[in-house]
Amino acid sequence: MSSVGSISLASALEQLSRTPLPILAGGTDFYPALGDAPAPARVLDVSRIEGLRGLQRTPSGWRIGAATTWSDVIAAPLPPVFRTLKLAAKEVGSVQIQNAGTIAGNLCNASPAADGVPPLLTLNAVVELASVRGKRMLPLHEFILGSRLTARRDDEMLVAVHVPDMSDSARSEFVKLGARRYLVISIVMASVVLIPDEQKDSLQEVRMAVGACSAVARRLHHLEAVLQGQPLGADLSSLVTPSLLAELTPIDDVRGSADYRLHVVRQLIRELLARAQQALLGVSPGSVIDRDAGEPS
C-alpha cells in the first residue's frame, strides 16, 4: 500500500476529484476495520496537511481542525462548556490512541459508539466539508446518517468542526459506561449541556445526547423540552422518565442487551444531570454510577 505524500489541501482535493481514495488521518480505526481484508493499494494521508490540525477561536465560536488529535483537545485552553468533549477525549482508548486519533476520523468512522459524537451534538457542532467544487457546512446530526454511514461525498474531505459560542455560564458533563473501566467500547454514553438564563434562576436551554443506544448517537429532544425552563435548584433527575427515552432504539450485542441499555441509560442521564447541575450551582460534583456495573439479573 502506498500513501500520497505531503501535499496541500488544494492538491488533496484535486486528487479526490479525479479518483476516490480512502482518507487516512490517525489510522486508529482504519487498519483494525480491515480485518483479514487486504489493505487498499493507495490511501490519502491528510495528517500533515497544513491548517487541518489545531483549535482556533473564531468570531462566532471555535474551529477544530479535522486532524486535531484527542490529546490536542485535552491540552487546549477551552471554555468550561467544552468539559464534555475533554472528558470524552480522555475515554478514547489509551494515551497512544489519543495522540494519534483525530476528530474527523472519529466522526467519519460513524460508529454508534464513537465517544466524540454525543459531546459534539450537545455543543451544536457543524462540520465543514471541502471539495474542488467549494465548501459546505452541515450540522453534525445531518452528517452522520447511520452506522458507518455519513453524508460525505467521494470527492469531499471533512476539514473542520465548528462549535458556536455559548454563554460563559454554560456547564457540561460526559460519562461513558463500559464492561471495564479503561480501553473499552461503550455500552452507553451520554453528554449534557446546561445553559442558565441571564438571572441564573432557571434553565434557558438543555441539550442531552446519548450514544451506543441507537444506530446514530442522538439528542433527546423530548427530555430537553421537559427540562427547559426548570429552576436551577429543581430536582431534574426525578423528571427523567422512561417515556422520555422512547427516542432510543438500542440493540442486543456482546457488550449488553437492549433491555440493559435502557435500564442503565436512565440512571446514567440522572447522574449526569445532577453533576452538571452541581457545577452550575458551584457545588462539588458527587459520584457517578459504577462503570463496572454488570448486566442486571
Side-chain angles (χ1 to χ4, degrees):
M1 179 183 70
S2 65
S3 63
V4 177
S6 297
I7 55 175
S8 66
L9 177 59
S11 177
L13 296 178
E14 178 62 30
Q15 292 192 53
L16 286 177
S17 72
R18 296 195 305 268
T19 305
L21 291 170
I23 298 175
L24 178 71
T28 59
D29 287 314
F30 182 86
Y31 290 106
L34 292 174
D36 295 329
R42 299 180 74 227
V43 299
L44 179 62
D45 187 342
V46 301
S47 58
R48 296 189 182 277
I49 292 179
E50 186 176 355
L52 284 193
R53 182 171 180 178
L55 300 93
Q56 295 90 31
R57 189 75 172 87
T58 70
S60 59
W62 289 84
R63 180 186 187 275
I64 307 174
T68 300
T69 68
W70 294 108
S71 293
D72 294 336
V73 172
I74 293 168
L78 296 167
V81 75
F82 278 86
R83 173 175 166 81
T84 179
L85 189 60
K86 284 177 172 280
L87 288 173
K90 294 177 181 179
E91 296 282 0
V92 180
S94 63
V95 172
Q96 293 91 333
I97 295 294
Q98 293 164 16
N99 288 342
T102 63
I103 289 280
N106 197 250
L107 301 185
C108 291
N109 193 46
S111 165
D115 293 318
V117 177
L120 288 169
L121 285 173
T122 57
L123 292 172
N124 279 357
V126 173
V127 301
E128 178 183 344
L129 297 160
S131 70
V132 294
R133 294 174 285 106
K135 293 183 179 180
R136 64 184 180 122
M137 310 290 279
L138 275 181
L140 179 57
H141 69 270
E142 294 181 14
F143 175 71
I144 300 179
L145 303 177
S147 178
R148 313 293 181 178
L149 180 65
T150 74
R152 186 184 73 84
R153 297 164 184 156
D154 286 343
D155 67 339
E156 287 182 320
M157 183 189 303
L158 195 161
V159 295
V161 176
H162 297 266
V163 175
D165 269 332
M166 274 173 276
S167 166
D168 291 338
S169 300
R171 294 294 182 269
S172 70
E173 289 289 338
F174 170 88
V175 70
K176 169 178 172 176
L177 179 67
R180 60 180 188 266
R181 191 167 298 273
Y182 300 111
L183 307 181
V184 65
I185 297 174
S186 302
I187 296 173
V188 177
M189 57 186 156
S191 172
V192 65
V193 168
L194 300 183
I195 305 174
D197 61 13
E198 291 185 3
Q199 294 75 32
K200 297 186 180 180
D201 294 327
S202 61
L203 293 172
Q204 177 177 301
E205 187 177 356
V206 177
R207 304 175 190 169
M208 175 70 67
V210 171
C213 278
S214 304
V216 178
R218 61 189 309 158
R219 291 270 296 271
L220 300 182
H221 295 295
H222 296 313
L223 176 58
E224 293 173 352
V226 168
L227 297 175
Q228 184 174 326
Q230 293 291 330
L232 253 57
D235 182 4
L236 302 180
S237 297
S238 67
L239 301 176
V240 184
T241 62
S243 64
L244 295 176
L245 308 181
E247 297 166 89
L248 301 176
T249 55
I251 63 170
D252 296 320
D253 65 16
V254 295
R255 288 180 290 277
S257 68
D259 287 342
Y260 175 59
R261 285 185 163 95
L262 287 175
H263 166 79
V264 78
V265 72
R266 183 182 176 198
Q267 184 181 357
L268 200 72
I269 289 171
R270 293 173 72 174
E271 291 278 1
L272 260 190
L273 283 170
R275 285 170 51 186
Q277 189 177 24
Q278 289 165 346
L280 278 180
L281 297 172
V283 178
S284 297
S287 61
V288 298
I289 68 171
D290 181 3
R291 298 191 187 192
D292 299 325
E295 184 107 18
S297 58

